[in-house]
Structures are given as C-alpha cells and as structure tokens.
Amino acid sequence: MGAPAGPREVPVRRRPTRQIRVGTVPVGGGAPISVQTMTTTTTADVDATLRQIAAVTAAGCDIVRVAVPTADDAAALPTIAKKSPIPVIADIHFQPRYVFAAIDAGCAAVRVNPGNIKKFDDRVGEIAQAASAARVSIRIGVNAGSLDPRLLAKHGSATPEALVESALWEASLFEEHGFTDLKIAVKHHNPMIMVAANRLLADACDYPLHLGVTEAGPAFQGAMKSAVAFGILLANGIGDTIRVSISDTPVEQVKAGHHILQSLGLRPCKLEIVSCPGCGRLQVDLHTLATKVEAAFDGFPHPLRIAVMGCVVNGPGESREADLGVSCGNGKGQIFHHGQVICTVPESKIVETLLDQALRLTEPTDTPGRGAT
C-alpha cells in the first residue's frame, strides 16, 4: 500500500534567543518547542507525584513542574528529581530558602515569582551562585494575579508594560551577578494582554520565553484561549516552551499543547483526523463516527492523516490528501487510500476497516510470511 504520507511542515522563522538547558532538554536557540505541565498532587506524596509524572511523560510531556509550598514538599524533591523520567522544575513562591533546597535536590530548574518572594531580591546573588555551580537554570515567572504591588500602583493594573517591567527588573538582578541561564514567562488570563506582553518582551531581550495564558479556564474555554494566544505568538516565532493552563488533568494539558503545536506544523502529527462539521446531506452519524475513529487510533505509533467525510462533496478530494479516508453516504462508507477507492463497507464496519487498513499500510514489507501489499 506504500508508506504513510509524512507530516506537513509550515516554515516558521523562530525568534533568535540564547539557549539554556532544563536538565537534558535544550530550550531556546532553535531547540524544539517544549510542552510542559504541572503536577496536581501534593509534592510530599512522592509515589503519587511520580505516578502523575509517569502519566504526563507517556502523554508526551517534556518538562514537568512541581509545587513546593512546604518543608515536606522540599524534602521530597531529591527523590522526585532522581526518579522522574523528565526534567523537574521546582515552583517556588514566598520562601527563598526553598530555592536553595530545590537546587541542592537536583532539580533541573527553579521557577521564582518576583511578585511574591519575601526579601528575594536581597538573595539573588546567593541564588545565582548556587544555581551556576549546580548548572541549574532559573525561570522568572510573572503572573498578573501576583504582580508586585509597586508596579500595580505605577501602571494602574497588570498591563503588558507592567508584566514586562517586572520580568526585566528581576532578570537585571541576576545579570548583575553574571547569571543569564534564564527563561522568562509573563502570563495573564486575557490572551490578548498576554500576547502584547510577550511581544514587548521579545523585543526587549533575547531570553527564551515560556508561553502560558494563566488561569485560562475550563477545558474547552481555556484551550481556545491558549490556542489563540499561542497561535499568534508561535506563528511569529515567539515562544520556546508552552503550558496549556486549563482546569483539567495534567495529561489533558499536555495533549492540548501537542495539538496546538501540531496544528501549527511545529511538531509532527502522529494522528491527524480531517472531518467535516456535518450538514443536511449527512446520511450517517458522522459525529459519532469521527469520535470512534479518534478513539480507535489513540496511541497509534505511526503518523497518519485520516479523512472522515460525510458526503461526496468534499469527501473524495480530502481523501486524496490523506493516507486513509472514508466518504460516507446512505449508511455506507467508501474507504480511500491516497484518493483511490479500495472498498465499500457498511457504516458499522467503517472504524474496524480503517484500523485494519492502517495496520496494513504501516506494516513492514519484509514481514516473514507476508509480501508487500
């Protein structure tokens, strides 16, 4: 049947930045855009946290962040950092001493929030020295909801300018001590304010940037906000790591991040389903069919583009652009391979036929006992 079509790539000229490392993962400087999430377990519960890290790793997460609000959480970091299959970032607020604990624990990076760490600025030199010695990078994370009160008073609200001023001020304190292994994030719940802030930041420095629409909302709403903001910025080359901050599980956050990058051609698609929205010409339950196809191919190890079309208007044309396709009508489906009809099956057999053909399509041609198909 021939090999599946390769992923379509959209050329995006990435913003040039310096490169840092978050453990084994390079960030910035042309490195692939990383997908991040944050665990929702109590970090002190080491087993639960490691199970969740394993789950997000299986979903394709590149870097994971863990909250460190207590001494018990800090005490758990050495085991978590050692056993995690992906780099761990310690998320520190309010207490500078946990920054040092995270560095000593072997975390790949530490996130600090300049808006709410007590007396943090007075200890930047110590932190820079410790992080440099341990080759640990620092993420400066500025959130609209925890902006320094002085900047709120100056700007009147969490404006793009206020967010950027906070981030650059904190970066300048590290620069005074010769430390530049920094990644910066400026976040807001309003996607357009977030976009404006990141554009300002991209013009003002060459640090790699982490993108996030903070407190984006429930799954659907939050994913839409994130997709809008990320799409604008990433299409213009701005952004080096991302997190989809939706009120859903970390695994779903990772999946959403991958879908956004794949839609922009910034990551290869393992599975792309092209399906029509439906209209009065439908003679099959297309919405259920598309959902079943997606579920059947969940975890399929080869990149495939599958067209699930409801009628003959666009069905054959979309099928020509896909590895496999189905064009439905009158309770049946014509199965296509690269635009050529290979069989017609009843609606109830469409999913299993597509899966069978996909397995045949991706089967090695030198399998013992089987010739090329």
Side-chain angles (χ1 to χ4, degrees):
M1 292 180 66
R8 289 173 291 186
E9 295 184 359
V10 178
V12 173
R13 184 176 180 181
R14 298 277 300 281
R15 163 181 168 262
T17 75
R18 66 184 69 198
Q19 187 172 97
I20 66 168
R21 297 195 72 84
V22 178
T24 56
V25 176
V27 174
I33 296 167
S34 299
V35 175
Q36 298 188 19
T37 189
M38 190 170 182
T39 56
T40 57
T41 56
T42 300
T43 303
D45 188 340
V46 173
D47 289 342
T49 301
L50 286 173
R51 284 196 299 271
Q52 196 169 80
I53 291 175
V56 300
T57 302
C61 187
D62 301 301
I63 300 168
V64 66
R65 189 155 43 107
V66 300
V68 189
T70 71
D72 288 341
D73 297 315
L77 290 177
T79 302
I80 292 170
K82 181 179 180 180
K83 293 187 176 181
S84 172
I86 56 177
V88 173
I89 299 177
D91 192 70
I92 311 296
H93 298 266
F94 303 112
Q95 296 293 347
R97 68 178 183 273
Y98 295 152
V99 176
F100 298 100
I103 293 171
D104 292 340
C107 290
V110 177
R111 182 272 176 102
V112 296
N113 186 335
N116 63 20
I117 291 189
K118 299 174 183 177
K119 300 181 180 178
F120 174 72
D121 290 352
D122 295 336
R123 306 193 68 180
V124 167
E126 298 173 65
I127 292 171
Q129 183 177 5
S132 181
R135 296 184 178 179
V136 169
S137 56
I138 299 290
R139 170 179 153 188
I140 296 173
V142 180
N143 281 0
S146 53
L147 193 63
D148 189 308
R150 294 168 294 183
L151 290 174
L152 282 175
K154 176 180 177 180
H155 293 274
S157 66
T159 64
E161 292 78 9
L163 296 172
V164 171
E165 183 176 343
S166 177
L168 293 179
W169 167 254
E170 205 63 43
S172 73
L173 298 180
F174 279 98
E175 291 166 354
E176 288 177 1
H177 298 279
F179 188 88
T180 56
D181 288 336
L182 302 171
K183 177 174 61 172
I184 299 179
V186 287
K187 295 186 175 183
H188 199 285
H189 69 271
N190 182 315
M192 299 316 295
I193 293 178
M194 175 269 195
V195 166
N198 277 278
R199 282 174 165 165
L200 289 173
L201 194 56
D203 289 339
C205 71
D206 67 349
Y207 290 115
L209 304 183
H210 172 77
L211 304 184
V213 178
T214 190
E215 293 100 34
F220 182 79
Q221 174 181 293
M224 294 301 102
K225 284 184 178 180
S226 299
V228 167
F230 295 178
I232 293 170
L233 292 168
L234 292 172
N236 285 280
I238 298 172
D240 302 283
T241 65
I242 65 170
R243 180 196 177 193
V244 181
S245 300
I246 52 177
S247 299
D248 207 327
T249 67
V251 167
E252 291 304 310
Q253 294 178 14
V254 171
K255 289 181 179 178
H258 274 276
H259 280 302
I260 291 171
L261 292 180
Q262 289 168 4
S263 296
L264 291 164
L266 293 168
R267 280 214 176 188
C269 288
K270 288 188 177 180
L271 175 66
E272 180 184 3
I273 296 178
V274 179
S275 60
C276 64
C279 68
R281 289 186 294 268
L282 286 180
Q283 295 177 318
V284 298
D285 184 354
L286 183 75
H287 301 155
T288 298
L289 177 61
T291 300
K292 287 182 177 180
V293 171
E294 183 179 35
F297 282 86
D298 186 37
F300 195 77
H302 303 285
L304 281 177
R305 190 176 306 120
I306 301 175
V308 182
M309 306 300 294
C311 74
V312 297
V313 173
N314 292 318
E318 288 290 353
S319 295
R320 282 195 298 270
E321 300 297 321
D323 298 299
L324 290 170
V326 58
S327 181
C328 302
N330 196 27
K332 298 178 182 180
Q334 283 189 322
I335 307 297
F336 290 80
H337 168 54
H338 290 319
Q340 299 298 314
V341 178
I342 54 178
C343 62
T344 300
V345 297
E347 183 178 355
S348 62
K349 298 290 185 181
I350 288 174
V351 177
E352 63 180 88
T353 303
L354 286 172
L355 187 56
D356 178 66
Q357 293 297 327
L359 291 171
R360 289 163 58 85
L361 175 61
T362 57
E363 183 183 50
T365 56
D366 58 352
T367 301
R370 291 289 298 274
T373 54

